[in-house]
Structures are given as C-alpha cells and as structure tokens.
Amino acid sequence: MTGKILTDHRRGFGDFDVVDFVDEQEIAALRAKLDVDVPIDLHWTWEYGSEIEELRNLYERGKRGQWNAETDIDWSQPFPRDEWFMPREGALLMPSLLTVMGADEDTCKQAAFSEFTHLLSQLLHGEQAALQLCGQLTNACPTMDAKFYAGSQVIDEVRHVEVISKFLQRKMGAIHPIDPTLKILLDMLLAAPTWKMKTLGMQTLFEGMAVGIFDTIAKMTSNPLLRDIVRRVQLDESRHAAFGILSMRQVVRESTPEELAEMEDFAFAVLEALNANQQLDMLRLHGPKYGLDPDNVVQSTLAMPEWPVLNSEIYMHTVIPNLKRLNLITERTEDDYRRIGVLYGDRFEAKQELPVAS
Ligand SMILES: [Fe+2]
Ligand SMILES: [Fe+2]
C-alpha cells in the first residue's frame, strides 16, 4: 500500500478515510500563503530543429486553435439565475440530494447555483496553477519542441483564467476562495522537484482531471453561453492532454525503475487525497445554507451501493486510462485505486481519442 498525504487532516468514515479541514484559521492561513518556494532546473538547448515531430505538429495545431476570450464569445447571452443550466438530478451533488429529500424547486435551483459557482471557482484556481506550472515547464523541459509547446500552452492557460474569471464575475456574481485541500495539492504539484515530476503533475494529473470535468459540464449544460465557453476550453485542454501523453511517454522511457515507482506513488497520493475530500470543503461552506449536514451527506453517499461507479466516473474519463497507458498504475497500486473508488471496472481506454496526430 502506498503512502498517504495530508495525514493530519484525516478522519475515518467506516473503512473510508476522509480529508477534512475544519479549523477556519488554518484555512485562512493556507489561502494567505501566496509565496511558494519552487525548485526549477533551467535547461538550455542548442538544438533548434525539431526532434519530436509529433510535438511540433501539436504546436502548429495550438497556434491554429487560438481564440479570443473577449471577442469570440457572445457575452450578451444570459445565464439566468432562475433557470436550470444543468440537469436537476445526477449532475451536481446538492440539488440531487435536495430533490430526493423533497425540497422545492427554487431551493434546488439556488443550491445548484451555489455549488456550480464554487466548482467553477476551483477550476479557475486550478487554471491559475496550470498557468504557473506551464511557465515552469518552458524553463525546465529539455527539448525545444517541448519548450515551444509549453510556451503556447501558457497563453492557452492565460485565456482560461481570463474566460472563467469573466464568466464568474459577469454572470455568476462571485468567485469563491480556493478550497484548502486543493491549495495544498496544487502547491505540491507546483513544487515538484524535477521536470519529469512537474510534467507528470501538470500534464497527466491536472490536465487529465480538467478534460474529464470540462467534458462532463459541456455535455450536461443546457446554457448556450456556458457550453460555448467550456467547449472552447476543453478543445485546448485535449491538446494539452496530448502534449502530456507525448512528453510523458518520453519521460517514462528515460526514467529508472526507482523514478517510475516514485511517480506511481506520487500520482496515487495526489488523486487519493483529492478523492478523500469527497466535496467536504464545498459542503462545509454551502451545505448548511440548504439544511445539509456535511458529515451526513458524505456518510450517506459512501453508503450508496452504486457509489464506486458514480465516484469513479470523472477519474475514469481520462486521468486513470492515461496513467494506465503510461504504466504508472501497475499491479502494485491498482487495488489501492479500486479500494478508494477511483478506478472501477476494466475501462482503461480513454473515451475520446487524443488528438496526437495533426
Ligand atoms: Fe486550462
Ligand atoms: Fe490545460
């Protein structure tokens, strides 16, 4: 069994270990920690020609795929607070639960709005981390192809920060602060010591989660403005995920068995901790407004027979198949992933083909 992180914030819910932050002062201190010490090995290269053709093709695709978050989006489209923008059940946690509990439609709509503002705010903070980490990669990557691509990804991530923050400010009226669990995990990824670990953290874990979440939102939303934004972001993210696969294939080829084992453990530790929060950070902030007790919600979700299937959906979309393809989930860790409800069944093929070829 591999090691756990955030051990000071663990509590047992039956067999399941949750990560839970309850100390307001500690949470405030985490959010106030703006300076992070990150090691960077800056690497020059004198080889300006292309060494990895697929990567250079992807860079060309990236250039062609640029869009303008201010002028290419029709910002005059509404995002009405009193209309459903996601299915009432099966998409967001709070409205689904409240519906089952018999709450009126208005309350369910408000809960959906709160939860989605929260989710999108966390995605926004994640985009900022992607921007910062990708900037690090332009320094640390060894080949000019990778530097070209990482450089073009920086501007994509800037655009994602721009478009999501504008959507939140203009249409939802709030940006929620970063969740403590997410802040710790993002700091960990940003502070990963080598370019190989940075590439794993950024391109496989981050981007894999982003593709899964954005694709799910795009498929489920009925609001044209939100769908347009999320689809555009998701197209960029699938290029990033392709960069992840191409660069990680090389990383895996060049790594020692010890380095690979370290990466496998790192990936598991990050995903395990993320999953262990079970939305408690969100529920602590928003649950009580709608009469939902965070502990009760998590306990009853964990007790549902279909929980492993539902819980693993977002992970099984991209991040788990990609880790498996890269041989970063092996027999050593596979059962651990299954035990925590992140890996289910045998669907190791990514749902969408990565656009690696130009
Ligand atoms: Fe992004
Ligand atoms: Fe990205």
Side-chain angles (χ1 to χ4, degrees):
M1 168 151 159
T2 43
K4 277 187 180 157
I5 50 179
L6 287 168
T7 42
D8 294 348
H9 297 87
R10 299 281 178 160
R11 276 193 301 136
F13 272 25
D15 292 342
F16 193 87
D17 249 15
V18 290
V19 162
D20 191 12
F21 285 81
V22 284
D23 180 344
E24 288 299 328
Q25 276 185 342
E26 186 192 6
I27 296 172
L30 270 169
R31 288 176 180 146
K33 185 180 164 237
L34 302 182
D35 295 305
V36 183
D37 212 2
V38 296
I40 300 242
D41 286 332
L42 184 144
H43 185 86
W44 281 91
T45 171
W46 310 122
E47 181 50 74
Y48 291 99
S50 176
E51 295 170 88
I52 309 159
E53 198 190 337
E54 282 172 302
L55 214 49
R56 205 50 82 97
N57 290 341
L58 195 63
Y59 167 68
E60 288 298 329
R61 277 178 60 107
K63 282 194 289 186
R64 289 197 298 274
Q66 296 295 305
W67 47 281
N68 185 324
E70 189 53 48
T71 54
D72 288 335
I73 304 281
D74 178 4
W75 286 103
S76 70
Q77 296 174 93
F79 188 77
R81 207 174 252 263
D82 54 356
E83 274 177 25
W84 284 109
F85 57 95
M86 290 287 240
R88 179 170 174 168
E89 286 182 83
L92 295 162
L93 178 63
M94 292 202 298
S96 305
L97 281 174
L98 288 163
T99 301
V100 174
M101 288 160 64
D104 62 78
E105 187 164 0
D106 235 34
T107 308
C108 294
K109 275 183 186 162
Q110 282 172 35
F113 201 89
S114 292
E115 184 174 333
F116 195 70
T117 315
H118 191 89
L119 170 65
L120 213 51
S121 301
Q122 304 314 309
L123 288 166
L124 170 65
H125 304 310
E127 293 291 352
Q128 185 187 163
L131 160 64
Q132 318 254 36
L133 210 152
C134 210
Q136 295 182 22
L137 284 184
T138 62
N139 281 230
C141 281
T143 65
M144 192 49 81
D145 296 301
K147 287 182 193 294
F148 269 34
Y149 193 78
S152 82
Q153 189 178 327
V154 169
I155 188 63
D156 289 351
E157 304 299 4
V158 169
R159 189 167 54 246
H160 299 169
V161 173
E162 179 190 353
V163 79
I164 297 175
S165 63
K166 281 180 171 167
F167 183 81
L168 280 163
Q169 284 162 331
R170 292 175 180 175
K171 304 294 176 180
M172 305 202 80
I175 294 179
H176 290 299
I178 191 164
D179 285 340
T181 309
L182 186 63
K183 176 65 165 60
I184 288 187
L185 295 178
L186 292 179
D187 280 352
M188 249 184 83
L189 295 180
L190 286 160
T194 61
W195 79 269
K196 291 179 181 177
M197 294 296 275
K198 286 183 192 298
T199 304
L200 167 69
M202 166 81 204
Q203 301 298 348
T204 309
L205 302 181
F206 248 99
E207 295 294 343
M209 289 304 291
V211 170
I213 296 171
F214 285 124
D215 188 42
T216 306
I217 298 174
K219 280 189 184 128
M220 285 189 159
T221 187
S222 49
N223 179 272
L225 173 63
L226 179 63
R227 189 167 48 235
D228 183 29
I229 289 175
V230 173
R231 274 281 171 235
R232 285 171 181 275
V233 171
Q234 194 215 334
L235 271 178
D236 294 343
E237 300 299 359
S238 14
R239 280 198 310 274
H240 304 170
F243 175 42
I245 289 290
L246 288 174
S247 44
M248 279 306 295
R249 264 190 213 145
Q250 191 197 349
V251 167
V252 165
R253 264 199 307 270
E254 292 172 1
S255 295
T256 62
E258 291 74 32
E259 282 177 320
L260 286 178
E262 192 191 351
M263 285 183 196
E264 184 175 353
D265 290 343
F266 181 73
F268 179 78
V270 170
L271 294 181
E272 190 277 336
L274 188 68
N275 179 61
N277 187 242
Q278 287 293 306
Q279 303 208 58
L280 273 167
D281 290 339
M282 184 280 290
L283 287 165
R284 296 233 167 268
L285 270 177
H286 303 283
K289 282 187 279 186
Y290 304 99
L292 295 171
D293 174 69
D295 280 19
N296 281 347
V297 170
V298 175
Q299 257 159 342
S300 47
T301 5
L302 288 170
M304 283 162 33
E306 66 273 38
W307 177 78
V309 184
L310 298 175
N311 187 71
S312 60
E313 266 302 306
I314 213 81
Y315 300 93
M316 291 301 291
H317 186 287
T318 300
V319 70
I320 293 291
N322 283 354
L323 284 169
K324 184 83 182 169
R325 281 173 176 182
L326 291 164
N327 224 5
L328 291 174
I329 295 177
T330 64
E331 278 178 8
R332 188 167 65 83
T333 45
E334 184 168 331
D335 285 347
D336 290 338
Y337 276 104
R338 287 187 191 280
R339 186 178 40 77
I340 60 167
V342 159
L343 194 160
Y344 187 83
D346 297 312
R347 297 168 298 144
F348 290 130
E349 289 307 311
K351 279 186 186 162
Q352 56 185 60
E353 256 320 294
L354 292 168
V356 171
S358 69

